[in-house]
Amino acid sequence: QVQLVESGGGLVQPGESLRLSCAASRFIFRMYDMGWYRQAPGKQRELVARISEGSSTNYAGSVKGRFTISRDNAKNTLYLQMNSLKPEDTAVYYCNRAPSAVLSWGQGTQVTVSS
């Protein structure tokens, strides 16, 4: 069964940075576009960053210029570098295939931005 394990979240102050990781197993990671999604309390899950199998990237307007998605196909790992964090970035962050999240969701990693 496909497994996605997110890590790296935490509590930070506005303006600080975090790096999230997603370890993928039991599927051919390198062949697929992947994405980072987030779900804030009371809101729908949204795709915030996407990376193609060839490492082309796309970002939601709300994070463009602050977040960077990357991948290491040798390690089956997806990353999200988040800089200049804002309180509105507070959410549970998940990884999955993109743009259609067809894999079973992992547990996610909580990111809280608060002073």
Side-chain angles (χ1 to χ4, degrees), residues 3 13-14 20-21 28 33-34 46 49 52 68 71 76 81-82 88 90 92-94 96-97 104 113:
Q3 191 173 25
Q13 295 189 345
L20 306 185
S21 298
I28 307 174
D33 291 12
M34 295 294 295
E46 61 172 340
S52 73
T68 302
R71 66 192 301 164
N76 282 3
Q81 177 68 42
M82 305 187 297
E88 51 264 42
T90 295
V92 180
Y93 284 72
Y94 304 86
N96 210 307
R97 282 179 54 183
S104 296
V113 186

Side-chain angles (χ1 to χ4, degrees), residues 39-88:
Q39 187 167 21
K43 295 188 177 181
Q44 288 193 333
R45 191 155 15 201
E46 61 172 340
L47 176 63
V48 296
R50 174 181 173 180
I51 186 166
S52 73
E53 57 175 321
S55 294
S56 296
T57 58
N58 283 286
Y59 300 92
S62 58
V63 308
K64 195 169 186 178
R66 300 187 297 120
F67 290 11
T68 302
I69 188 171
S70 60
R71 66 192 301 164
D72 185 336
N73 289 336
K75 295 182 178 180
N76 282 3
T77 301
L78 185 71
Y79 302 100
L80 187 68
Q81 177 68 42
M82 305 187 297
N83 299 329
S84 303
L85 282 161
K86 303 177 180 181
E88 51 264 42

